[in-house]
Amino acid sequence: MKNKVVIIGCGRLGASIASYAASQSLNVIVVDSNPAAFERLEEPFSGFTVAGDATDQVLLEKEAYIQTAEAAIVTTGNDNVNLYLAHLLSRIYEVPEIVVRFDDPKYQELIKDLKGVNAVYPFQLSFEKILSYKEAKEDAK
Ligand code: AMP
């Protein structure tokens, strides 16, 4: 399977990314421990879903085919799970491109030496955006 992207966590963020990637003709495999989460995917969804714990290496290898993924996006709501997965996907499976979500910006320190890993911080992005609106309003006074 070419252009394969594995998305871990099918919450609002993961489901939106998975739906978009599938609509762009990428081969998408989305993993979530709660099968009900797949209801968030936009229909029709051309990707594959895998129900189970993404920290299970047997599941990652035999059901998500992680060894051949070109990219992985890690979006569970648990920073510690996401940190573990970032290390596993980078160090063991050598996935070339990995994006991982963290709520706590302090996690940057814990992934800085990992090859191919970029982090996003939704809380930080919201915080900065709110401050920028406030500052723009004060400048206009
Ligand atoms: P949210 O926190 O709402 O963005 O959703 C995160 C999603 O990640 C939920 O649908 C959870 O079921 C899923 N999730 C959390 N931990 C795991 C895990 N270890 N393996 C797979 N999916 C998980």
Side-chain angles (χ1 to χ4, degrees):
M1 205 190 254
K2 278 193 79 75
N3 296 326
K4 196 178 78 193
V5 53
V6 174
I7 295 170
I8 299 177
C10 194
R12 188 187 287 261
L13 180 61
S16 301
I17 300 283
S19 298
Y20 176 76
S23 78
Q24 299 299 298
S25 305
L26 295 176
N27 289 309
V28 177
I29 298 181
V30 53
V31 182
D32 199 294
S33 47
N34 175 11
F38 301 131
E39 286 166 20
R40 296 189 180 100
L41 294 165
E42 270 169 33
E43 290 292 342
F45 179 65
S46 60
F48 295 92
T49 57
V50 174
D53 186 343
T55 61
D56 174 352
Q57 283 182 247
V58 176
L59 177 139
L60 280 178
E61 292 173 19
K62 301 250 184 293
E63 295 186 51
Y65 306 102
I66 196 69
Q67 302 93 321
T68 55
E70 288 171 22
I73 302 173
V74 182
T75 71
T76 88
N78 184 322
D79 280 358
N80 290 327
V81 168
N82 293 350
L83 177 66
Y84 173 75
L85 286 168
H87 280 257
L88 192 65
L89 300 184
S90 173
R91 293 219 163 115
I92 306 293
Y93 298 113
E94 299 179 342
V95 178
E97 267 184 76
I98 301 163
V99 181
V100 56
R101 157 201 170 179
F102 291 116
D103 286 328
D104 186 346
K106 289 194 200 97
Y107 278 69
Q108 178 63 38
E109 183 61 23
L110 304 172
I111 53 148
K112 67 178 194 316
D113 298 327
L114 292 180
K115 202 167 160 225
V117 177
N118 282 301
V120 286
Y121 302 92
F123 169 85
Q124 188 80 3
L125 292 174
S126 307
F127 182 78
E128 284 165 11
K129 193 78 184 167
I130 289 166
L131 281 194
S132 78
Y133 286 141
K134 201 169 169 328
E135 279 161 12
K137 213 169 170 193
E138 273 160 18
D139 287 350
K141 276 185 194 167

